[in-house]
Amino acid sequence: MSNLNPKPSVGSSASVSPSLRHTAKEWDEIRKVFCSSIMADTSLNSLAQNLEGQDWPLRGPSEVPSAYFNLSFNELREQLALRGQPPSVADQLIDILKETLAFDNPFGEMVSQSQASAAEDNQLVKNLAKLKIDPDFPVSMTAFSAETLLVCDLEHINTLGEFALAAQRMATSVIVGGDFRALLNALSNIDERTLARYLPFRVGSTGLHYIEGLGQSVGAQPPAVQAALARRFKVPQSEADEALARSASSTAIEETMRTLQARAAALRGFCKDEYTDIESQIAAGASARRLVVILGDPVREAVVADMLPRPPAPTKPVGFFARLLNRIKG
């Protein structure tokens, strides 16, 4: 982490450029607070997008908050100007950092319980129970980004139950962002649509769902692999997607199918009743393609339908002589 001792700046620390909303004092305060955040080395553009604000105008792996923490307010403005950015971008940087910190407020009271608080007193755990979501569901089976999964790994968070319990200590010690923050906020407020983005959850229902879980697994594959899967299952697509499909090797496709089958087996352990119901419906003549229309995506529907249980093989009709022979044997 960068040294945060501010370098001498020109003018009073409370001075502000006529074209800027924020002051040097605000910059010094926010960079000192944000330096201990786990989001200090997260892409500024990712933070901006998480806040649903204007994109950060600069690109590159070095465009993270900590890259600017060593600069005084005047130096910040000068560096941005040298890179062709207007003064308002300094305001935007401070806004991004402040709003990322402030995002904790909606669920802050809910998760700021004592670290010694038992699971039964944790509101997030209670909300999992209310939604009938198994707390033992692995975070590795969520639709978290690789970055968020890394945070969970570093914090030894393996299940949704552990996620809920970790929230109460993390909310008061570090600043969480991205997918982690979004799911945390969704659980706090029981925001079903956001829950369905990260979990195999169905809006208007409860529990975890097998079809949605498989659909998320398909959607998590690289674009070239998804295009190749579309071609494999004869889903119409554009010429550009067909070209993309050809860039995926057959080895990659077969490995993907093995991965999806393994995920299907794992999901069955959390969706036993639903899987049994799916088997019954298909055995009774229901079409697998009709059962997966809830996914709303042709590629996901085609792949998931192929992974559902097969209908039982039709029994061969017994001929007249076979029936007569059975009677004689009887």
Side-chain angles (χ1 to χ4, degrees):
M1 188 59 62
S2 302
N3 178 12
L4 295 183
N5 291 326
K7 299 178 181 180
S9 59
V10 178
S12 167
S13 64
S15 64
V16 61
S17 166
S19 59
L20 295 177
R21 291 180 286 105
H22 295 300
T23 66
K25 181 179 179 181
E26 289 177 281
W27 168 241
D28 287 342
E29 290 174 348
I30 194 65
R31 63 179 174 144
K32 287 178 181 177
V33 173
F34 209 92
C35 72
S36 61
S37 168
I38 61 172
M39 307 308 293
D41 294 312
T42 298
S43 162
L44 278 165
N45 197 49
S46 294
L47 293 178
Q49 291 175 349
N50 286 335
L51 297 168
E52 298 183 352
Q54 184 178 0
D55 286 352
W56 180 247
L58 298 169
R59 294 290 184 270
S62 64
E63 286 305 310
V64 296
S66 62
Y68 295 94
F69 290 164
N70 237 7
L71 303 177
S72 70
F73 190 55
N74 285 341
E75 289 170 337
L76 171 67
R77 294 160 54 198
E78 290 168 3
Q79 183 176 115
L80 290 172
L82 288 172
R83 300 178 70 185
Q85 300 304 314
S88 60
V89 175
D91 274 333
Q92 184 184 1
L93 174 60
I94 296 173
D95 286 338
I96 289 171
L97 302 188
K98 281 191 169 185
E99 290 175 27
T100 298
L101 294 177
F103 199 94
D104 280 342
N105 290 338
F107 53 81
E109 291 183 5
M110 184 171 290
V111 298
S112 62
Q113 305 164 34
S114 166
Q115 291 187 13
S117 177
E120 58 267 21
D121 295 325
N122 183 297
Q123 187 60 48
L124 298 180
V125 173
K126 291 179 181 178
N127 285 352
L128 285 173
K130 182 177 181 179
L131 294 165
K132 298 182 180 179
I133 295 175
D134 192 332
D136 291 329
F137 189 74
V139 293
S140 61
M141 291 173 63
T142 67
F144 276 167
S145 66
E147 180 181 62
T148 302
L149 289 174
L150 177 59
V151 171
C152 290
D153 184 56
L154 292 172
E155 293 293 328
H156 306 291
I157 299 170
N158 299 308
T159 67
L160 290 180
E162 292 174 354
F163 176 93
L165 292 174
Q168 61 190 22
R169 61 179 170 79
M170 292 185 71
T172 58
S173 60
V174 297
I175 304 303
V176 294
D179 297 340
F180 194 108
R181 180 186 61 197
L183 180 58
L184 184 54
N185 200 37
L187 277 175
S188 301
N189 298 291
I190 308 188
D191 176 355
E192 294 189 1
R193 292 193 178 278
T194 302
L195 288 173
R197 283 170 49 195
Y198 297 105
L199 306 177
F201 183 82
R202 184 177 300 167
V203 175
S205 183
T206 58
L208 298 173
H209 294 271
Y210 184 71
I211 289 174
E212 281 83 347
L214 290 179
Q216 285 184 342
S217 297
V218 176
Q221 303 306 313
V225 171
Q226 291 193 55
L229 289 172
R231 184 173 60 174
R232 177 171 182 155
F233 291 100
K234 297 181 172 53
V235 177
Q237 55 185 343
S238 66
E239 291 183 6
D241 285 336
E242 281 291 339
L244 190 61
R246 289 191 288 273
S247 70
S249 68
S250 58
T251 302
I253 301 307
E254 294 308 318
E255 178 62 30
T256 296
M257 292 306 298
R258 286 193 292 270
T259 298
L260 292 175
Q261 291 292 350
R263 177 59 57 88
L267 278 167
R268 285 197 289 272
F270 295 94
C271 311
K272 294 177 182 177
D273 291 342
E274 183 180 57
Y275 186 78
T276 299
D277 182 59
I278 290 172
E279 284 185 312
S280 298
Q281 290 188 59
I282 291 177
S287 164
R289 292 304 295 264
R290 290 189 63 184
L291 293 177
V292 300
V293 293
I294 193 170
L295 296 176
D297 177 86
V299 177
R300 298 188 191 195
E301 290 172 9
V303 179
V304 173
D306 185 73
M307 297 175 68
L308 292 185
R310 304 293 184 190
T315 56
K316 295 182 179 180
V318 180
F320 171 76
F321 290 106
R323 291 197 299 271
L324 180 60
L325 181 60
N326 286 336
R327 288 180 182 176
I328 293 173
K329 289 182 178 179

